[in-house]
Amino acid sequence: NAEYMGARKFIQPTMDRTEEVREVFGLFDQNRQGIPQAQLSSAMRALGIEITDAECASLVHSAGVSGSVDLNTFTRLVSQRLQDFTNEEEIVAAFQVFDEQADGTITLASLRNVLVMLGAERMSPEEFDMMCQKARLSGDSSRVNYRQLIQTLRRL
């Protein structure tokens, strides 16, 4: 379901991203010798991954990478970075920041903010509306049950 792709990326980050990773790799692999480490954080940000240069350097160091980064290594680094955000409790914690009533729900405006925080800023208004329809509480169309939303997105 393409309409959920933007939100699904933060819930299931490695799903259906292979082509996108290859495309971004190609954009940054100008000389066909890999992505220079100095541009690696920019390449990851092009995929919607929030990462600082220092975090990227640490990721590269922990992976034992030296020199330019080839496609396989780039894919592995992207997956490793994204897996940091797949823990459901971390995702719930991001939603709880906006849960002013402490009832497991947030407003639609807050949901949009959470999704931007989690990297789904490229989601169109239509995609956002369709996703929200799946997780609204019965009787209150202005609030979304975020645990239900997470489960809905995981099933897609």
Side-chain angles (χ1 to χ4, degrees):
N1 291 359
E3 65 268 11
Y4 300 106
M5 186 60 87
R8 188 170 62 189
K9 286 179 184 176
F10 81 87
I11 301 289
Q12 296 173 319
T14 58
M15 190 175 177
D16 299 327
R17 298 219 51 199
T18 303
E19 190 58 38
E20 185 180 8
V21 169
R22 284 184 185 171
E23 185 177 316
V24 168
F25 180 84
L27 292 172
F28 284 85
D29 181 20
Q30 296 294 318
N31 59 10
R32 300 252 195 256
Q33 295 178 359
I35 300 175
Q37 286 188 29
Q39 294 181 346
L40 189 58
S41 58
S42 295
M44 288 188 159
R45 284 192 290 270
L47 287 167
I49 299 169
E50 294 296 321
I51 189 166
T52 65
D53 291 342
E55 289 169 331
C56 191
S58 176
L59 183 64
V60 166
H61 178 73
S62 67
V65 175
S66 61
S68 293
V69 176
D70 64 20
L71 177 59
N72 289 336
T73 303
F74 182 61
T75 302
R76 186 168 41 95
L77 293 173
V78 166
S79 291
Q80 184 177 343
R81 177 64 180 181
L82 290 173
Q83 285 174 3
D84 293 343
F85 298 102
T86 60
N87 179 313
E88 185 168 332
E89 288 310 308
E90 290 175 358
I91 295 169
V92 168
F95 282 108
Q96 287 174 332
V97 169
F98 295 93
D99 184 0
E100 296 170 358
Q101 297 177 356
D103 64 355
T105 67
I106 59 174
T107 65
L108 295 179
S110 293
L111 174 59
R112 174 65 87 178
N113 290 335
V114 171
L115 293 176
V116 168
M117 267 181 28
L118 294 171
E121 66 274 353
R122 289 183 257 162
M123 182 184 297
S124 74
E126 294 79 21
E127 292 169 333
F128 179 78
D129 290 343
M130 292 182 79
M131 180 196 63
C132 289
Q133 289 174 1
K134 296 286 187 184
R136 285 194 175 130
L137 293 174
S138 57
D140 188 352
S141 62
S142 67
R143 299 190 69 77
V144 174
N145 179 314
Y146 49 84
R147 288 189 186 270
Q148 182 179 342
L149 173 68
I150 292 167
Q151 292 307 311
T152 298
L153 293 173
R154 285 195 186 277
R155 286 191 298 266
L156 296 176

